[in-house]
Amino acid sequence: MNKVYKNASTAITGINDGAVIMLGGFGLCGIPENCIAALVSSGVKELTCISNNAGVDNFGIGLMLKQKQVKKMISSYVGENAEFERQLLSGELEVELIPQGTLATRCMAAGYGMPAIFTPAGVGTEVAEGKEIRVFNGKEYLLEYAFDADYAIVKAWKGDTDGNLIYKDTARNFNPLMAMAGKVTIAEVEELVPAGELDPNQIHTPGIYVHRIFKGEHYEKRIEQRTVKKVLSTL
Amino acid sequence: MNKVYKNASTAITGINDGAVIMLGGFGLCGIPENCIAALVSSGVKELTCISNNAGVDNFGIGLMLKQKQVKKMISSYVGENAEFERQLLSGELEVELIPQGTLATRCMAAGYGMPAIFTPAGVGTEVAEGKEIRVFNGKEYLLEYAFDADYAIVKAWKGDTDGNLIYKDTARNFNPLMAMAGKVTIAEVEELVPAGELDPNQIHTPGIYVHRIFKGEHYEKRIEQRTVKKVLSTL
Amino acid sequence: MLRFGGDNGMALSKEQIAQRIAQELKDGYYVNLGIGIPTLVANYIPAGINVVLQSENGLLGMGPFPFEGKEDPDLINAGKQTITTVPGSAFFDSAMSFGMIRAGKVDLTVLGAMEVSEQGDIANWKIPGKMVKGMGGAMDLVASAKNIIVAMMHVNPKGESKLLPQCSLPLTGKRCVKKIVTELAVVEVTENGFKLLERAPGVTVKEIVEKTAGKLIVEGDIKEMQF
Amino acid sequence: MLRFGGDNGMALSKEQIAQRIAQELKDGYYVNLGIGIPTLVANYIPAGINVVLQSENGLLGMGPFPFEGKEDPDLINAGKQTITTVPGSAFFDSAMSFGMIRAGKVDLTVLGAMEVSEQGDIANWKIPGKMVKGMGGAMDLVASAKNIIVAMMHVNPKGESKLLPQCSLPLTGKRCVKKIVTELAVVEVTENGFKLLERAPGVTVKEIVEKTAGKLIVEGDIKEMQF
């Protein structure tokens, strides 16, 4: 069975209006740039996007927001995006804010076949409203459900033709979790090698979780907060 | 803060009679041989051991059983051990059998600060007796609790002085999960290198989970079921 | 390649049971094979079909046994046998291994059984009065797998049917078995009980009916298995 | 190294708040530093003390900002700033990152706040009527951390105390803050309310009492902070 796709536009086949999709990345770090561009080109709309952030005005998921392709964002932090704010305040866009660890763990739960998890994050806050609270060892936890996503779109550093993935540095972030969580998982990689060339001990996402893979192109890898030693001498 | 210990006998300091300890390994693969030998020498007793298996008669946890150091085994499979069977039938030894995936996930839950998890394993069987059952999406799950272990003892392939660990092949098994789950985690490694020599992208167990580390010696790595192509031609 | 043999005259050999189960494989399947007859399935993967074997102790891409002298104690399968890997393999910990099993990522699970009920319940881990060695990963597998095929003998050494109205032994899992392949027959588990799909070459429907204690639906002409 | 300054005359500068918090570090601590003043704590780690910085986007062993031209877009902190690593670092996914936070493996968490109540409740993510950007990892951190120190100004720009009987803003977490370091004081959160531990050099107890809206316990002689 061939998992290798030619490019992003063929790999996103089947993502239709109204789909629930996960997108890996933290800020603009480790985002699936090629698939986002292909989704923008495809014109698909009414999407529910599960992603830690919503990109910036002219990059990342921000590009999809500009085209009004997103109906709902499920994120932990959505700042740094004027168009996002405009759509939100005008009621065009729905947002569900979720603590970052809860977001990550709800992805993992889906990939691990666990229907729900317990976390203390949000206890005593508005995040807990309407949620089941349970006490273990004297501490309160919220019951949070595994995500149910049609597609997961992730970006890895290296991948092989069997779908095994390796991430680089903090570009790993949510990618391995979402890779496990999609009914269909699409991976774009900087380097695509034949099966057998990656060290089996170094695989972060085993190929069983990955249904489609392609070699991405022209990675821009925009930096959101460029900080260098010249700016602040010690840290 | 120094995490590096000289050898197994110093690294197991503080494991006293009645302790609850986790021991990594699957069968005899990836077991902490040095620490087991040190525990045998120490004469500590009344231990509760959480380990997928109980070793064989003359190796692994079997060595501790022979010295009657174990009060209770919590395992998924305890065959291949005549002394084990004798102690069990005579009532000297208590055994709690747990499905293998439940065992693994209860370790992970401890390391991930999740007080309990849901799993379908054991629903409708005697494993479910007395346990809370909950239905999600029409399927029944058991509520299973995170383990609470005083010490976790694991074996890794490579480690560094900050406690970062890398495992080899299927010797990984329960080791990374137990490494996360111990209040005190002791790691023995085949190769111990200065911090900075391991690739940070390849670390399986980040050092934050590891409190003590030492270079193990004289690994025997006994094979339980030696199977070679001469025996069976195709598989 | 039709081979007759085995203990029951015209019935299938263990190898043939494995060979018949191998016909259920589809290209791209991720498969978990239990100890015993299920392990033999790997020997009969049809040409043109690529499957990836999962070993629940933490490996995708299990290969054949190693050549003598090439055994690696760090590389074993769930039966604790020394093995090898194929290109594209990946190692992971036991939580991820059972995570992918629970999440239904494994397409087919083949395992042995002592008893199967007409509801699809399975018993294969415990015999009251005998030393209990444990369930290992069997309860996780049967509770989670999308498609479970049982490979077993139709009757036990005492001649008693292993396909029962209700299991008499402690259960490993409930309502999970989809299909059973024995030395005599291929049987599907349906909502209305066992259903006979195929019979071993030369084995009569009458013999299968006699050796099946649970309700067995026999509809129309029952074809012989093809090899 | 005693430096006076900051907006409030004798009060501490932001750097001095960070410097005072750095005195709470112990050798071997794993520490998560939030955005703003907390980030500055890394500049004042006492000699002989080794701490490992955790960044919740998936890194243990965060180092200084890179030299110009050495920025790597794949290597950022939770504030999305380009960073470096120190020897002994490790990368991991966001689930493991918050897993270790929930499991209490992070010894100290330092973060900013808009309000803290005398019960240790904290509000730092949402202002009704303003665009809500989200809680990021703050709710996970405050719900799980063993030891949370808040770094903030004692009063807000309108001159209102940020140490309150009850938070007026939506909470980030309940009963979690252990200590507060402001430009005026070090305050502990006790079962009986805020307790004044230290005052900034030259700042009077009277000023601190006036600027603390919540119950403030003042017992005996309140020492000046030492730098």
Side-chain angles (χ1 to χ4, degrees):
Chain A
M1 199 189 67
N2 179 39
K3 293 183 175 184
V4 179
Y5 283 64
K6 199 182 159 198
N7 53 34
S9 60
T10 54
I12 63 161
T13 303
I15 303 186
N16 296 322
D17 292 357
V20 177
I21 63 174
M22 291 177 161
L23 296 118
F26 182 94
L28 301 179
C29 180
I31 60 172
E33 294 184 18
N34 281 248
C35 283
I36 290 172
L39 286 168
V40 169
S41 294
S42 79
V44 62
K45 54 188 190 303
E46 297 285 311
L47 295 172
T48 295
C49 293
I50 303 169
S51 179
N52 189 55
N53 311 93
V56 295
D57 271 320
N58 292 303
F59 205 59
I61 294 175
L63 297 169
M64 292 161 67
L65 290 164
K66 201 156 80 177
Q67 304 296 324
K68 300 188 182 171
Q69 298 178 274
V70 183
K71 182 181 69 179
K72 181 176 180 179
M73 281 300 312
I74 299 175
S75 305
S76 87
Y77 191 81
V78 293
E80 339 306 354
N81 196 322
E83 173 62 16
F84 183 96
E85 190 166 345
R86 193 198 63 70
Q87 289 183 26
L88 181 64
L89 295 176
S90 72
E92 295 167 60
L93 180 66
E94 192 185 340
V95 175
E96 186 179 342
L97 293 170
I98 293 178
Q100 196 174 128
T102 303
L103 187 74
T105 314
R106 289 177 63 187
C107 293
M108 189 182 77
Y112 273 30
M114 302 193 294
I117 53 107
F118 292 103
T119 175
V123 167
T125 78
E126 62 183 55
V127 165
E129 283 168 21
K131 287 181 184 160
E132 182 175 329
I133 293 172
R134 184 153 174 161
V135 176
F136 294 93
N137 304 315
K139 187 176 167 97
E140 290 179 315
Y141 293 82
L142 301 183
L143 181 79
E144 298 273 9
Y145 295 93
F147 281 121
D148 188 17
D150 300 315
Y151 292 86
I153 303 175
V154 303
K155 152 75 170 55
W157 180 33
K158 296 178 184 177
D160 72 19
T161 51
D162 279 359
N164 294 298
L165 304 177
I166 295 175
Y167 309 89
K168 181 168 161 282
D169 299 2
T170 56
R172 191 181 316 184
N173 55 64
F174 286 84
N175 282 300
L177 308 167
M178 293 179 170
M180 297 192 298
K183 287 196 195 70
V184 174
T185 291
I186 303 162
E188 56 176 90
V189 298
E190 292 181 55
E191 198 181 327
L192 180 61
V193 301
E197 289 201 7
L198 300 178
D199 180 345
N201 280 307
Q202 294 177 20
I203 305 298
H204 296 132
T205 298
I208 193 170
Y209 286 115
V210 177
H211 305 88
R212 306 174 186 175
I213 189 166
F214 69 96
K215 188 190 173 307
E217 285 181 331
H218 309 302
Y219 282 102
E220 188 175 336
K221 293 195 182 183
R222 207 180 285 186
I223 291 174
E224 230 170 314
Q225 303 285 341
R226 188 178 302 273
T227 46
V228 293
K229 274 214 178 147
K230 263 180 63 181
V231 175
L232 182 66
S233 65
T234 324
L235 178 76
Chain B
M1 198 189 67
N2 180 39
K3 294 183 175 185
V4 179
Y5 282 64
K6 198 181 159 198
N7 54 34
S9 60
T10 53
I12 63 162
T13 303
I15 303 186
N16 296 322
D17 292 358
V20 177
I21 63 174
M22 291 178 161
L23 295 119
F26 182 93
L28 301 178
C29 180
I31 60 173
E33 295 184 17
N34 281 247
C35 283
I36 291 172
L39 287 167
V40 170
S41 294
S42 79
V44 61
K45 54 188 190 303
E46 298 285 308
L47 296 172
T48 294
C49 293
I50 303 169
S51 179
N52 189 55
N53 311 94
V56 294
D57 271 320
N58 292 302
F59 205 59
I61 294 175
L63 297 169
M64 292 162 66
L65 290 163
K66 200 156 78 177
Q67 304 296 325
K68 300 186 181 170
Q69 298 178 274
V70 183
K71 182 181 69 178
K72 181 176 181 180
M73 281 299 313
I74 299 176
S75 304
S76 87
Y77 191 80
V78 293
E80 339 307 354
N81 197 322
E83 173 62 16
F84 182 96
E85 190 165 345
R86 194 199 60 72
Q87 289 184 25
L88 181 63
L89 296 175
S90 71
E92 294 167 62
L93 180 65
E94 192 185 342
V95 175
E96 186 180 342
L97 292 169
I98 293 179
Q100 198 174 127
T102 303
L103 187 73
T105 314
R106 288 176 64 188
C107 293
M108 189 182 76
Y112 274 29
M114 302 193 295
I117 54 108
F118 292 103
T119 175
V123 167
T125 77
E126 62 182 55
V127 165
E129 282 168 20
K131 288 180 184 160
E132 182 176 332
I133 293 173
R134 182 151 177 164
V135 177
F136 294 95
N137 304 316
K139 188 176 166 99
E140 290 179 316
Y141 293 81
L142 301 184
L143 181 78
E144 299 273 9
Y145 295 92
F147 281 120
D148 188 17
D150 300 315
Y151 292 85
I153 303 175
V154 303
K155 152 75 171 54
W157 179 32
K158 295 178 184 177
D160 73 18
T161 50
D162 278 0
N164 294 299
L165 303 177
I166 296 175
Y167 308 91
K168 181 168 161 282
D169 299 3
T170 57
R172 192 183 315 185
N173 56 65
F174 287 83
N175 282 301
L177 308 166
M178 292 177 170
M180 297 191 296
K183 287 196 196 72
V184 175
T185 292
I186 303 162
E188 57 175 89
V189 297
E190 292 182 57
E191 198 180 327
L192 181 61
V193 301
E197 290 202 6
L198 301 178
D199 180 344
N201 279 306
Q202 295 177 21
I203 305 299
H204 296 132
T205 298
I208 194 171
Y209 286 114
V210 177
H211 305 89
R212 306 174 186 177
I213 189 167
F214 69 95
K215 187 189 173 307
E217 284 181 331
H218 310 303
Y219 282 102
E220 188 176 335
K221 293 196 182 181
R222 207 181 284 187
I223 292 175
E224 230 169 315
Q225 302 286 339
R226 186 178 305 271
T227 46
V228 293
K229 272 213 180 147
K230 263 178 65 181
V231 175
L232 182 66
S233 62
T234 324
L235 179 76
Chain C
M1 189 176 66
L2 177 56
R3 296 180 301 179
F4 293 93
D7 295 336
N8 299 311
M10 301 296 277
L12 302 187
S13 66
K14 288 181 177 179
E15 284 74 17
Q16 286 174 307
I17 294 174
Q19 195 179 353
R20 174 59 191 81
I21 290 171
Q23 294 175 11
E24 306 285 319
L25 298 173
K26 289 184 182 148
D27 191 38
Y29 261 20
Y30 289 91
V31 181
N32 184 294
L33 301 175
I35 297 169
I37 300 176
T39 300
L40 302 175
V41 172
N43 295 344
Y44 299 99
I45 298 168
I49 298 283
N50 280 303
V51 302
V52 179
L53 301 182
Q54 201 247 20
S55 191
E56 68 264 28
N57 56 321
L59 168 62
L60 273 167
M62 180 166 63
F65 295 131
F67 285 111
E68 195 161 2
K70 295 289 182 188
E71 312 93 304
D72 181 346
D74 289 332
L75 182 48
I76 64 171
N77 64 17
K80 285 143 196 165
Q81 298 170 309
T82 44
I83 47 150
T84 59
T85 59
V86 297
S89 62
F91 295 106
F92 36 83
D93 64 46
S94 300
M96 179 179 266
S97 184
F98 286 96
M100 62 183 68
I101 288 167
R102 270 197 309 266
K105 303 292 175 181
V106 174
D107 299 290
L108 176 64
T109 295
V110 183
L111 71 175
M114 299 191 285
E115 296 176 349
V116 177
S117 83
E118 60 190 44
Q119 293 85 33
D121 299 349
I122 180 172
N124 70 351
W125 79 286
K126 186 175 183 178
I127 300 173
K130 286 203 180 179
M131 160 77 182
V132 181
K133 293 186 173 182
M135 66 294 279
M139 282 193 183
D140 306 273
L141 281 160
V142 301
S144 303
K146 285 188 291 197
N147 187 8
I148 297 174
I149 298 180
V150 162
M152 67 176 186
M153 293 295 122
H154 216 94
V155 297
N156 68 20
K158 295 182 193 164
E160 299 161 342
S161 178
K162 296 169 73 173
L163 290 84
L164 303 170
Q166 297 288 340
C167 292
S168 66
L169 296 171
L171 293 187
T172 309
K174 269 175 69 177
R175 299 176 181 273
C176 52
V177 176
K178 296 283 185 293
K179 211 173 259 188
I180 305 157
V181 179
T182 74
E183 78 284 17
L184 302 179
V186 178
V187 172
E188 190 185 355
V189 179
T190 74
E191 287 193 358
N192 302 312
F194 297 125
K195 183 175 178 184
L196 184 59
L197 296 185
E198 299 174 21
R199 58 196 169 85
V203 170
T204 63
V205 170
K206 183 169 172 285
E207 180 180 353
I208 296 165
V209 169
E210 283 170 2
K211 290 183 172 171
T212 303
K215 179 182 173 187
L216 182 68
I217 301 165
V218 184
E219 286 178 359
D221 184 40
I222 304 300
K223 287 181 298 186
E224 282 191 357
M225 297 178 205
Q226 300 293 317
F227 288 94
Chain D
M1 187 176 67
L2 178 56
R3 296 183 300 181
F4 293 93
D7 295 337
N8 298 311
M10 300 296 279
L12 301 188
S13 65
K14 288 180 178 180
E15 284 74 16
Q16 284 175 308
I17 293 175
Q19 194 179 355
R20 174 60 191 82
I21 290 171
Q23 293 175 11
E24 305 285 318
L25 298 173
K26 289 186 182 147
D27 192 38
Y29 261 20
Y30 290 90
V31 181
N32 184 295
L33 300 176
I35 298 168
I37 300 175
T39 300
L40 302 175
V41 172
N43 296 344
Y44 299 99
I45 299 168
I49 298 284
N50 280 304
V51 302
V52 178
L53 300 181
Q54 200 246 19
S55 190
E56 68 263 28
N57 56 320
L59 169 62
L60 273 167
M62 182 166 63
F65 295 133
F67 285 111
E68 195 159 2
K70 295 290 181 188
E71 312 92 303
D72 181 346
D74 289 331
L75 183 47
I76 64 171
N77 65 16
K80 287 144 195 162
Q81 298 170 309
T82 45
I83 47 151
T84 59
T85 59
V86 298
S89 62
F91 295 107
F92 35 83
D93 64 47
S94 300
M96 180 179 265
S97 184
F98 285 97
M100 63 183 67
I101 288 167
R102 270 198 308 270
K105 302 293 175 181
V106 174
D107 299 289
L108 175 64
T109 295
V110 183
L111 72 176
M114 299 191 286
E115 296 177 349
V116 177
S117 82
E118 61 190 43
Q119 293 84 34
D121 300 349
I122 179 171
N124 69 352
W125 79 287
K126 187 175 182 177
I127 299 174
K130 286 203 180 180
M131 161 77 182
V132 181
K133 292 186 172 182
M135 67 293 280
M139 283 193 183
D140 306 273
L141 280 159
V142 302
S144 302
K146 287 187 290 196
N147 187 8
I148 297 174
I149 299 180
V150 162
M152 66 175 189
M153 293 294 123
H154 215 94
V155 295
N156 68 21
K158 295 183 195 164
E160 299 160 341
S161 179
K162 295 169 73 172
L163 290 83
L164 302 169
Q166 296 289 337
C167 292
S168 65
L169 296 171
L171 292 188
T172 309
K174 269 175 67 178
R175 297 177 181 276
C176 52
V177 176
K178 297 281 184 293
K179 211 174 258 187
I180 305 157
V181 179
T182 73
E183 79 282 18
L184 302 180
V186 178
V187 172
E188 190 184 355
V189 179
T190 73
E191 288 193 357
N192 301 314
F194 297 124
K195 182 175 177 184
L196 183 58
L197 296 185
E198 298 174 22
R199 56 194 171 87
V203 169
T204 62
V205 170
K206 182 167 173 285
E207 177 180 355
I208 297 166
V209 169
E210 283 169 2
K211 291 183 172 172
T212 303
K215 180 183 172 188
L216 182 69
I217 301 166
V218 183
E219 284 178 0
D221 185 39
I222 304 300
K223 286 182 299 186
E224 282 191 356
M225 297 179 207
Q226 299 294 317
F227 289 94

